[in-house]
Amino acid sequence: MRARRRRGGGDCGVAGSIAWLPALIVAVTACWTPDTTAKDANVSVVSERPEAQSVVDDAGVVHPLATPRRRVVSTLPGITDLFVALGATDHLVGRTRYDLGPEVAHLTSVGGGLDPDLETLTVLEPDLVILWTDTDARSMAARVRDLGMESYSARVDDMASFRLHARQIGRLMGLEAEVD
């Protein structure tokens, strides 16, 4: 009886027929470079996306990122706590009467979160006033803007919205690395 031979070579068996696979993988991965211009949900390409140069708050107001905000009044206690957690209370110039932590107790109170005192806000000269988004706060945001101050409206109802606003406010403040 004669042994049958395969075409193209000797009898190598299964192990021999895939012996070249590791070498091919090494060769391909050595030559491959990732596509850094790829756009997906987790990739942000600043040079190709004009919206990456700004953030949009819950009232639909576009906030350019050209200049980091350094003097902030937060009327949302959870956002005030974010500044404390980031060690960025030096950026805060005002708080609400509900922000009672020792890290912010020395700051001027602007009153309530939904009805901050506009005169006190004006005296503090903030770069940014962070306001709650609801019907009354939208009119408050307009009054703050009418006084020449930037207002950022945020509705923080759950962890996802908190994370979104934390990232956006971090970007406005130039604190992206600290927030991430």
Side-chain angles (χ1 to χ4, degrees):
M1 225 181 189
R2 220 169 21 167
R4 293 182 55 192
R5 295 184 69 142
R6 289 187 197 191
R7 264 193 229 180
D11 188 14
C12 342
V14 174
S17 66
I18 61 169
W20 54 269
L21 188 58
L24 178 64
I25 291 171
V26 169
V28 169
T29 56
C31 297
W32 180 73
T33 57
D35 180 7
T36 57
T37 63
K39 287 185 178 181
D40 63 25
N42 298 320
V43 177
S44 179
V45 181
V46 174
S47 63
E48 294 182 18
R49 294 179 42 201
E51 67 271 16
Q53 300 301 321
S54 62
V55 297
V56 180
D57 69 15
D58 284 344
V61 176
V62 177
H63 300 271
L65 298 174
T67 306
R69 285 42 167 207
R70 296 289 178 231
R71 298 179 54 81
V72 178
V73 172
S74 172
T75 66
L76 280 76
I79 298 298
T80 304
D81 291 342
L82 171 68
F83 280 86
V84 172
L86 294 174
T89 55
D90 57 324
H91 293 295
L92 291 173
V93 295
R95 61 170 177 84
T96 69
R97 65 177 159 253
Y98 306 109
D99 296 308
L100 302 174
E103 303 88 353
V104 295
H106 67 282
L107 298 173
T108 301
S109 173
V110 297
L114 296 177
D115 59 346
D117 181 70
L118 293 175
E119 187 175 333
T120 304
L121 281 175
T122 304
V123 169
L124 293 173
E125 299 179 340
D127 298 331
L128 182 66
V129 180
I130 302 170
L131 298 165
W132 179 258
T133 302
D134 69 7
T135 306
D136 292 332
R138 284 193 189 104
S139 63
M140 180 57 70
R143 294 194 327 232
V144 166
R145 285 192 302 274
D146 288 346
L147 292 170
M149 295 175 273
E150 182 180 10
S151 66
Y152 178 93
S153 297
R155 183 170 188 100
V156 182
D157 294 327
D158 53 29
M159 286 306 295
S161 61
F162 178 80
R163 281 192 288 273
L164 168 73
H165 291 295
R167 280 192 302 275
Q168 292 198 155
I169 292 167
R171 292 182 70 203
L172 286 169
M173 303 294 300
L175 301 172
E176 298 94 334
E178 290 86 341
V179 172
D180 286 337

